[in-house]
Amino acid sequence: MKKIIILSVLSIVLLSCSNTAKTDNIDDLISAKNVKALNEKKTALQADIAKIESALATLDVKKEEALVSVLTLKDTIFNHYLDIQGNVNTKENILVQPEFSGTLTSLTVKAGDRVSRGQILGRVDDGGLSQQLASAQNQYSLAKTTFERQKNLWDKKIGSEIQYLQAQTQMVSAQKAVAQINAQLARTVIRAPFSGTIDEVFAEKGQVVAPSATGLMRIVNLGNMYVSTSVPETYIGKLRLGDQVDVYLSSLGKTYKGKVRQVGSYINPNNRTFGIEVSVPNPENLLRPNQVAKLKITDYTSKNAIVVPTGVIQEDGKGDQYVYVVEGSNGKTGTAKKVVVKVGKSSDNVTEILSGLSANDIIVTEGANTISEGMKLNF
């Protein structure tokens, strides 16, 4: 700036000289080889330049400056995450089916009821099995009495072994018949396969029921929830059972702490991924099957890392990445210095610096795109 002012003034002086008499024209003086006049002209111009420099010195003209924000770097723990989407699910979410076709004679639950494993939910008409059971029990009772008497005789060496064995066979056959009918009757009773909540009931008492696509009712247990998703094969070996995972549910605005409970052993050839399951606690029973979840899985950790905001890293014409560091800082001012850096992974809007910066370095954050090396900085 100072040089520009000097040149401008010099131009004005020369211009004014061109308006004087012809003998004062520098070109004419040079052509006339008028040494004396040229020396006088030189002395006059040097005097004017000296006045200009003196004036500039007293005007306190400042160098170019910039107001910026800065950050002092510290060693910190840096985590890189794999962000991926998954679906909430539970393996205890089923349609309860009748095992026996017939009329629904009893329905003991409704939607919203909490039930325990083994609890009776309803009954189907047994179609005469109760009467068959009574007859089979009578036959078994008779066969058992006959066998006991025959056994007493056989123990006293009375009667033949064939009679003893026949009585025993008849008793065992009658016992099996009773057990078989009991097993069929048990199928007429509808029980809860696990503890949970009745979500929907699709049948009514008196309706003829049979196994179908809709079933009788849906039972769901929200206490054993997990998120399933597929992960690119490049992450094989980076995910292990028990790894902690942040599970964010946008529909709830909540983040849950989950753990990897299963890592698939098969690579899908269509998309080169493998499946994982992440168990998620559900203390408030807010999770529901088929909710969309965002998983944040830690796949890289550096315990003593230097990190900077990703936005402060710039790239020059050579392809080098750099940041501006404050030199000669006195707490309020300093000078900008361009420092080439080697960057690592980025996560959560920060980037790890592998080389070029150290702890306690002061970097320019806001305003980094408007400064140049050597510029005076105020912060």
Side-chain angles (χ1 to χ4, degrees):
M1 182 66 73
K2 186 175 181 180
K3 291 181 179 179
I4 293 174
I5 295 173
I6 294 172
L7 291 174
S8 299
V9 174
L10 184 57
S11 299
I12 295 171
V13 172
L14 291 174
L15 184 60
S16 64
C17 291
S18 67
N19 294 328
T20 61
K22 203 171 187 181
T23 55
D24 291 335
N25 187 284
I26 295 176
D27 291 334
D28 291 341
L29 293 175
I30 294 174
S31 298
K33 299 181 180 180
N34 191 338
V35 176
K36 181 180 178 181
L38 287 172
N39 284 329
E40 290 175 352
K41 185 68 68 176
K42 176 181 177 183
T43 301
L45 290 175
Q46 287 177 339
D48 288 337
I49 292 173
K51 289 180 181 179
I52 293 171
E53 289 180 342
S54 177
L56 289 175
T58 60
L59 290 176
D60 192 25
V61 177
K62 296 184 178 179
K63 293 182 179 179
E64 192 174 1
E65 299 181 4
L67 180 64
V68 297
S69 296
V70 298
L71 173 69
T72 301
L73 302 181
K74 303 291 183 183
D75 288 337
T76 186
I77 297 176
F78 173 75
N79 292 313
H80 182 265
Y81 302 96
L82 165 65
D83 291 315
I84 198 164
Q85 184 171 294
N87 291 319
V88 178
N89 215 328
T90 174
K91 295 190 183 298
E92 296 183 335
N93 172 25
I94 67 168
L95 293 171
V96 178
Q97 301 281 1
E99 295 184 69
F100 198 84
S101 300
T103 303
L104 189 62
T105 60
S106 173
L107 186 62
T108 60
V109 294
K110 61 182 182 301
D113 286 353
R114 292 278 303 168
V115 297
S116 302
R117 177 184 176 90
Q119 180 178 329
I120 295 177
L121 308 178
R123 295 178 184 272
V124 178
D125 181 66
D126 60 25
L129 284 177
S130 298
Q131 290 80 2
Q132 295 180 34
L133 176 62
S135 175
Q137 286 175 333
N138 289 334
Q139 293 178 10
Y140 170 67
S141 179
L142 176 60
K144 182 180 180 182
T145 300
T146 301
F147 169 72
E148 289 174 348
R149 291 180 178 179
Q150 193 64 43
K151 184 176 182 303
N152 288 334
L153 292 174
W154 178 248
D155 290 341
K156 296 177 181 180
K157 306 300 182 182
I158 301 173
S160 65
E161 183 179 6
I162 293 298
Q163 290 175 320
Y164 168 75
L165 294 175
Q166 286 177 339
Q168 185 182 48
T169 301
Q170 289 174 355
M171 182 192 69
V172 171
S173 296
Q175 187 179 34
K176 289 182 178 180
V178 171
Q180 184 177 13
I181 296 174
N182 274 324
Q184 290 180 309
L185 277 172
R187 296 173 59 201
T188 67
V189 180
I190 303 164
R191 298 179 182 274
F194 50 79
S195 298
T197 302
I198 303 299
D199 191 59
E200 293 179 274
V201 178
F202 307 110
E204 296 181 1
K205 181 180 177 180
Q207 181 179 338
V208 176
V209 297
S212 65
T214 58
L216 298 179
M217 61 193 73
R218 179 181 295 278
I219 181 172
V220 181
N221 181 4
L222 300 179
N224 187 21
M225 308 297 287
Y226 68 94
V227 176
S228 58
T229 188
S230 296
V231 178
E233 66 175 326
T234 53
Y235 287 89
I236 292 176
K238 297 181 181 179
L239 298 179
R240 296 177 176 82
L241 295 178
D243 284 353
Q244 192 172 57
V245 179
D246 287 340
V247 181
Y248 176 71
L249 278 297
S250 57
S251 58
L252 301 176
K254 288 179 173 288
T255 298
Y256 295 83
K257 295 294 184 181
K259 288 186 178 181
V260 177
R261 75 176 193 182
Q262 181 179 332
V263 177
S265 302
Y266 170 76
I267 300 296
N268 187 330
N270 296 322
N271 55 16
R272 311 307 304 173
T273 64
F274 61 96
I276 66 168
E277 289 183 2
V278 177
S279 60
V280 186
N282 191 20
E284 301 171 300
N285 283 335
L286 295 177
L287 300 183
R288 296 291 186 274
N290 300 316
Q291 277 179 305
V292 176
K294 293 182 179 179
L295 304 181
K296 182 182 281 189
I297 306 172
T298 303
D299 64 345
Y300 168 79
T301 297
S302 178
K303 294 184 177 180
N304 296 292
I306 299 296
V307 299
V308 301
T310 302
V312 308
I313 301 173
Q314 303 181 63
E315 186 171 319
D316 59 22
K318 298 178 181 179
D320 294 329
Q321 293 177 299
Y322 66 93
V323 299
Y324 281 109
V325 172
V326 178
E327 275 194 329
S329 171
N330 63 1
K332 294 294 183 179
T333 63
T335 305
K337 179 184 178 182
K338 176 182 174 181
V339 176
V340 175
V341 296
K342 180 180 179 182
V343 302
K345 296 179 179 293
S346 298
S347 183
D348 290 337
N349 298 318
V350 297
T351 299
E352 183 182 16
I353 302 300
L354 302 179
S355 65
L357 296 176
S358 304
N360 298 319
D361 283 347
I362 303 174
I363 65 167
V364 179
T365 53
E366 294 184 21
N369 295 326
T370 62
I371 64 176
S372 58
E373 188 165 20
M375 184 178 291
K376 183 177 180 181
L377 305 176
N378 296 309
F379 46 87

